[in-house]
């Protein structure tokens, strides 16, 4: 009897350190400070980010894998970690240029960069953990 393929979710966890500040250039400094508080600090602040990239798909009949996690690791390293690690997200990261450096905007930017490199299965979730208590997830939805 033929085995029915089963949908599985695979996740690679990566890590980077980066600085940012929350600042809306269309507001005055006072408005930014009133709204964002310490997060608007003009000298920036840093986080130790944990990034979770989850794909969903069916294991390939030959490899038994959705996508080789070694390959996924390399793509995340080249496209994301090498771009963000030890960087100032507001100033140093071309793919965040002109965007407010919020975790929400960062996860969407990470999704857009990684999606073309997913060889099998589909990108399911980008999860970015900013602090022990705060994280943001993006599922590719409008
Ligand atoms: Ni922050």
């Amino acid at each position: 009897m033929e085995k029915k393929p089963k949908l599985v979710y695979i996740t690679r966890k990566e890590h980077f350190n980066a600085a940012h500040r929350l600042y809306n250039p269309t507001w005055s400094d006072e408005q930014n400070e009133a709204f964002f508080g310490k997060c608007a600090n003009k000298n920036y602040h840093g986080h130790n980010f944990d990034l979770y990239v989850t794909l969903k798909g069916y294991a390939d009949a030959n490899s038994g894998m959705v996508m080789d996690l070694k390959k996924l690791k390399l793509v995340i390293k080249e496209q994301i970690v090498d771009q963000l690690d030890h960087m100032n997200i507001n100033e140093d990261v071309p793919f965040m240029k002109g965007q407010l450096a919020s975790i929400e905007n960062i996860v969407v930017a990470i999704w857009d960069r990684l999606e073309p490199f997913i060889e099998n299965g589909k990108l399911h979730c980008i999860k970015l953990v900013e602090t022990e208590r705060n994280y943001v997830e993006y599922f590719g939805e409008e």
Side-chain angles (χ1 to χ4, degrees):
M1 208 175 81
E2 210 171 296
K3 252 176 100 183
K4 261 185 148 181
K6 300 290 195 295
L7 186 62
V8 294
Y9 294 74
I10 66 169
T11 299
R12 175 73 193 177
K13 179 185 179 188
E14 290 292 342
H15 181 81
F16 59 90
N17 310 308
H20 76 157
R21 74 184 288 219
L22 299 180
Y23 183 82
N24 181 333
T26 70
W27 295 349
S28 67
D29 286 355
E30 292 71 28
Q31 279 175 300
N32 273 285
E33 208 186 296
F35 189 83
F36 294 122
K38 281 197 277 189
C39 294
N41 183 346
K42 70 175 165 52
N43 289 329
Y44 305 92
H45 64 274
H47 295 284
N48 292 310
F49 289 101
D50 282 324
L51 171 65
Y52 297 79
V53 175
T54 302
L55 313 188
K56 72 172 175 183
Y58 297 97
D60 177 86
N62 294 310
S63 71
M65 296 175 179
V66 175
M67 180 173 171
D68 187 345
L69 284 165
K70 287 195 302 291
K71 264 192 174 172
L72 183 59
K73 172 194 172 173
L74 191 66
V75 167
I76 300 168
K77 179 189 181 313
E78 289 174 355
Q79 297 300 317
I80 309 301
V81 175
D82 288 352
Q83 314 295 320
L84 292 172
D85 193 35
H86 288 73
M87 296 295 176
N88 176 325
I89 295 171
N90 299 72
E91 300 292 331
D92 302 334
V93 179
F95 70 79
M96 288 302 297
K97 266 272 174 307
Q99 293 192 70
L100 206 156
S102 66
I103 309 310
E104 288 86 337
N105 288 341
I106 298 167
V107 291
V108 173
I110 290 174
W111 177 288
D112 289 344
R113 280 184 75 77
L114 287 181
E115 201 181 22
F117 294 93
I118 304 307
E119 293 172 347
N120 184 36
K122 281 199 161 81
L123 195 51
H124 173 66
C125 180
I126 301 296
K127 173 177 171 180
L128 191 58
V129 180
E130 184 190 44
T131 69
E132 216 172 293
R133 293 169 189 275
N134 296 339
Y135 65 84
V136 172
E137 293 169 297
Y138 179 55
F139 295 93
E141 293 166 345
E142 297 272 299

